[in-house]
Amino acid sequence: MREWWHWRPLQGSEQLGFAVIGVGRFGIAVCRELLQNGADVLAVDRSARAVEELRQLEPAIEARVVDCTDEESLREAGILDMGTVVVAISEPIEASITATLIAKDSEGTKVKQVIARATSDLHEKMLKRVGADRVIFPSRMQGERLGLELVRPNLMERLALDETHGIEEIKVPEPFVGQSLRDLNLRKNYRVNVLAAGPQRNLTVNPPASHVLEQGHLLVVMGLMDDLQRLPKT
């Protein structure tokens, strides 16, 4: 697992919504994953064609044509009112750096964190220098994973078994802490099966019903993707 997957959203940022600047393949992948998990998403791009293509894929999305290097344009579009901004553009490099700086440093910005896409080590250094909280070198699959991580902060790993079933390794959700598997009855209440539970390096496979979940421990569950998404997210 890459180091950046261990990053978690800053507290409260998800309540303010998500903005994606740049809707190429990576940006679209982030948008779609966020939307599928019920998040509020605002997408912008300087290309009217790119915005229209996104609207064709996701008719319900709020998408606007905006000059991503202009502070007032981004402010008027609502980007600076979002808690998390994903700068998905990579070229020209100046545009991604400028957008990152605007999101992070503009007067009155509510942005708590910026995740920016880089194409080189030098690009990464420059993005961090202007305030990016995290810099990634993405592919489409990583875009989907990033979107999922943003709305599922306690998700550690996911394994898709087929199109509808999967296995997830999550941090024990806060509402589950201190309760036994018998009390929670996850099979009945969430329709998922518990495969393992315990500390990260000492998981108990097929734990007994008396097993009590502790804060910071992991829980490995299997079931339908829709049911897994119903588990508490924090």
Side-chain angles (χ1 to χ4, degrees), residues 7 10 13 21 68 71 74-75 79-87 96-116 126-134:
W7 169 85
L10 298 177
S13 61
I21 299 177
C68 303
E71 179 177 340
L74 290 176
R75 187 185 303 277
I79 296 296
L80 303 187
D81 292 325
M82 298 296 172
T84 298
V85 172
V86 178
V87 180
S96 71
I97 293 171
T98 301
T100 299
L101 180 61
I102 292 172
K104 200 69 177 181
D105 269 1
S106 293
E107 183 178 354
T109 182
K110 296 179 182 178
V111 176
K112 295 180 178 294
Q113 58 191 336
V114 175
I115 308 163
M126 295 173 73
L127 288 167
K128 286 184 176 179
R129 187 163 295 180
V130 297
D133 298 283
R134 204 68 179 175

Side-chain angles (χ1 to χ4, degrees), residues 3-138:
E3 179 187 358
W4 71 277
W5 290 130
H6 292 286
W7 169 85
R8 293 290 179 266
L10 298 177
Q11 185 174 7
S13 61
E14 62 274 16
Q15 274 73 44
L16 292 175
F18 302 93
V20 178
I21 299 177
V23 290
R25 290 182 63 194
F26 176 71
I28 288 175
V30 175
C31 288
R32 300 190 81 172
E33 195 65 46
L34 288 169
L35 288 168
Q36 287 170 13
N37 284 273
D40 293 324
V41 186
L42 169 61
V44 298
D45 197 292
R46 65 171 59 191
S47 168
R49 180 178 178 180
V51 169
E52 184 57 32
E53 288 178 354
L54 175 59
R55 287 173 177 162
Q56 293 291 328
L57 292 171
E58 297 291 342
I61 195 169
E62 183 69 26
R64 303 173 186 173
V65 180
V66 173
D67 180 355
C68 303
T69 63
D70 182 76
E71 179 177 340
E72 286 309 309
S73 295
L74 290 176
R75 187 185 303 277
E76 290 176 7
I79 296 296
L80 303 187
D81 292 325
M82 298 296 172
T84 298
V85 172
V86 178
V87 180
I89 52 179
S90 58
E91 294 180 352
I93 290 176
E94 297 84 6
S96 71
I97 293 171
T98 301
T100 299
L101 180 61
I102 292 172
K104 200 69 177 181
D105 269 1
S106 293
E107 183 178 354
T109 182
K110 296 179 182 178
V111 176
K112 295 180 178 294
Q113 58 191 336
V114 175
I115 308 163
R117 175 184 179 182
T119 56
S120 67
D121 290 341
L122 177 59
H123 191 187
E124 177 186 21
K125 290 178 182 178
M126 295 173 73
L127 288 167
K128 286 184 176 179
R129 187 163 295 180
V130 297
D133 298 283
R134 204 68 179 175
V135 179
I136 57 176
F137 295 83

